[in-house]
Amino acid sequence: VAPGEKPTATAVVYSQVWKEFTFDHIDSTLKGVNWETTELEGDALAEADVTSAYQVKVVLPDNLPEGYFAGALRLTGRGAEAGPNPEHDGLPDIASEDGTSSRDVAHCELALQGKVLRRISVYGPTITTSGVVDMGRLREGKGKTVKLLLKVRDEDVDLRVRELETTPDFLQVRIEPHQSPSNKKLGLYNLYIEVPASAPSFRLPPDRMAQLRIRFEHPRISSLELPVDLIIMRKAT
């Protein structure tokens, strides 16, 4: 799910027992979710090989936080007439408070799962699935530069750098707009991270990494932090 968008999804809720049914109640465990139900008839029922059915359209809100989300749309259906149910054969019906039979009501849940993408993402062969820039093991006196691609997912794709901070401070960083053949603003930027040949030997404890922090002048993208896996070994003497 792209940030700021209202994605939709559809599902079919059906019965192979009831000739007709309606929804008594629908709610969502995720806040801000909207839904529409449309009864299916004729050829649509025949194609699905069911007795009665509704198409349920779910619309997510545009303010879900970044990251994974999980919830459910909970539906309670009521049959227009009781139908045979093998699970109840030979057992008495249980009457509810309003006098209806347990055969007349059924419950189901539609899982709502997905991921809201970050407004800025980093891609490239040197970044791991856990978001670490792998610069590798270098020999002192041998510099290295890696190139990554930044993708901005926002209505404002202009990314202006306000401040750069690196640990260690010999890391050199620059960001340049990615040139497209059409010269359109695609929200793509090239991120260059350089270890200069003049960098000294460098090694941190196993539980620590080098760090890159970039702060932006942007209304919704404040900063980007990237850990950098880097070791610079001393020259052989």
Side-chain angles (χ1 to χ4, degrees):
V1 176
E5 292 186 353
K6 291 185 176 181
T8 64
T10 59
V12 174
V13 177
Y14 64 89
S15 174
Q16 291 178 309
V17 176
W18 294 329
K19 292 182 180 180
E20 295 181 15
F21 73 94
T22 57
F23 291 112
D24 272 3
H25 183 73
I26 303 177
D27 65 22
S28 171
T29 60
L30 289 176
K31 292 183 178 179
V33 173
N34 291 312
W35 55 84
E36 298 176 2
T37 61
T38 304
E39 188 173 7
L40 300 182
E41 300 176 341
D43 293 341
L45 286 179
E47 291 176 5
D49 191 25
V50 296
T51 306
S52 56
Y54 286 82
Q55 177 178 275
V56 180
K57 178 181 178 181
V58 180
V59 184
L60 293 181
D62 59 4
N63 60 352
L64 287 174
E66 294 178 355
Y68 291 97
F69 63 86
L73 192 69
R74 300 180 296 197
L75 307 101
T76 300
R78 181 184 299 271
E81 57 184 24
N85 188 333
E87 295 182 1
H88 289 274
D89 284 352
L91 298 176
D93 288 345
I94 301 174
S96 63
E97 293 181 358
D98 60 4
T100 59
S101 165
S102 59
R103 293 190 181 188
D104 296 327
V105 177
H107 308 276
C108 75
E109 288 192 353
L110 296 177
L112 305 176
Q113 298 177 350
K115 179 182 179 181
V116 179
L117 300 173
R118 298 183 62 187
R119 291 187 184 273
I120 183 170
S121 299
V122 186
Y123 302 94
T126 56
I127 190 163
T128 67
T129 55
S130 57
V132 176
V133 180
D134 186 3
M135 298 289 289
R137 276 57 179 156
L138 307 179
R139 182 69 64 180
E140 191 177 7
K142 299 287 186 181
K144 181 177 182 179
T145 300
V146 299
K147 177 183 176 183
L148 301 170
L149 186 68
L150 301 184
K151 170 65 176 177
V152 177
R153 297 184 183 88
D154 192 86
E155 58 189 24
D156 180 1
V157 297
D158 287 332
L159 203 59
R160 297 169 294 279
V161 177
R162 177 166 59 89
E163 184 181 359
L164 278 170
E165 181 182 346
T166 61
T167 305
D169 56 10
F170 60 70
L171 286 177
Q172 298 178 7
V173 178
R174 70 182 191 274
I175 295 179
E176 299 176 354
H178 182 80
Q179 298 298 323
S180 66
S182 61
N183 291 323
K184 291 183 178 179
K185 290 186 176 181
L186 303 176
L188 298 175
Y189 295 82
N190 296 323
L191 169 63
Y192 298 91
I193 306 174
E194 179 183 358
V195 177
S198 59
S201 60
F202 175 80
R203 182 187 293 266
L204 289 173
D207 61 339
R208 294 178 57 195
M209 290 189 184
Q211 294 287 330
L212 164 64
R213 299 177 184 87
I214 309 173
R215 294 178 176 85
F216 301 106
E217 294 284 356
H218 192 280
R220 286 166 293 278
I221 302 173
S222 59
S223 63
L224 173 68
E225 296 189 10
L226 292 173
V228 180
D229 188 4
L230 170 66
I231 292 178
I232 303 178
M233 299 174 290
R234 292 185 182 275
K235 287 183 180 179
T237 56

